[in-house]
C-alpha cells in the first residue's frame, strides 16, 4: 500500500469512527488535491480554534477552490463541520474537513464527481 493510500485509509477510518458517511472516490480526490501537505503534520490538520486558520480554509478552499461567494454561510458551515468532527478532537484532518465542506455545498463536480 502506498503512503497516499495509507492516508486515505486513515481519513476513511477517522470518518467511520465518528459515524460520518463518506464516498471513498470523493475522499481520494479531495486528498489528492491537497498534494504533499498531507505528509506534513502541521499542514495535514486544521486548528478549529484558530480564527486565522479558519479564515484560510474559507478563503483558499471555499472561495478559491470551490468558487463560493463570501458570506456568513461559509463561516457557519465551517463551524458546523468543526462541531460535527468534535471540538475536543485534536486531529481535524484537512482532507476530512474539506471533504465535508464539499458535500455540504454540493460541490462534488469540482472533483469530477
Amino acid at each position: 500500500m502506498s503512503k497516499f493510500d495509507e492516508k486515505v485509509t486513515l481519513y476513511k477510518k477517522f470518518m467511520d469512527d465518528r459515524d460520518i458517511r463518506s464516498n471513498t472516490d470523493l475522499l481520494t480526490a479531495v486528498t489528492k488535491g491537497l498534494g504533499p501537505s498531507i505528509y506534513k503534520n502541521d499542514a495535514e490538520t486544521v486548528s478549529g480554534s484558530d480564527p486565522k486558520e479558519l479564515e484560510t480554509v474559507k478563503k483558499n478552499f471555499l472561495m478559491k477552490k470551490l468558487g463560493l461567494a463570501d458570506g456568513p454561510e461559509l463561516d457557519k458551515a465551517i463551524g458546523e463541520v468543526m462541531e460535527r468532527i468534535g471540538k475536543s478532537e485534536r486531529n481535524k484532518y484537512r482532507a476530512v474537513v474539506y471533504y465535508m465542506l464539499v458535500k455540504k455545498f454540493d460541490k462534488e463536480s469540482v472533483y469530477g464527481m
Side-chain angles (χ1 to χ4, degrees):
M1 184 183 290
S2 72
K3 283 187 178 236
F4 178 81
D5 291 336
E6 288 173 10
K7 288 293 185 180
V8 172
T9 301
L10 171 71
Y11 304 148
K12 176 94 173 104
K13 181 177 179 345
F14 178 88
M15 294 174 81
D16 290 347
D17 289 349
R18 283 149 192 81
D19 211 21
I20 301 169
R21 293 178 50 198
S22 64
N23 171 314
T24 305
D25 291 337
L26 180 59
L27 180 60
T28 300
V30 170
T31 304
K32 191 173 285 184
L34 290 169
S37 68
I38 63 170
Y39 305 109
K40 299 178 182 141
N41 288 339
D42 189 46
E44 181 183 30
T45 58
V46 173
S47 171
S49 60
D50 181 356
K52 188 176 168 211
E53 174 96 24
L54 299 178
E55 187 67 17
T56 300
V57 169
K58 181 169 86 169
K59 285 196 165 116
N60 291 351
F61 184 69
L62 293 178
M63 294 167 65
K64 277 187 186 173
K65 178 75 177 176
L66 300 186
L68 300 170
D70 194 3
E73 66 280 355
L74 300 186
D75 295 312
K76 182 176 184 254
I78 292 169
E80 289 170 1
V81 165
M82 293 299 152
E83 190 72 40
R84 178 66 181 92
I85 291 173
K87 290 208 180 270
S88 63
E89 177 58 57
R90 286 187 46 87
N91 293 324
K92 292 178 182 73
Y93 293 111
R94 189 170 304 275
V96 173
V97 170
Y98 286 11
Y99 173 92
M100 292 174 72
L101 289 168
V102 166
K103 293 296 281 182
K104 184 159 209 55
F105 288 105
D106 291 320
K107 287 293 196 170
E108 292 92 336
S109 62
V110 170
Y111 292 95
M113 303 286 154

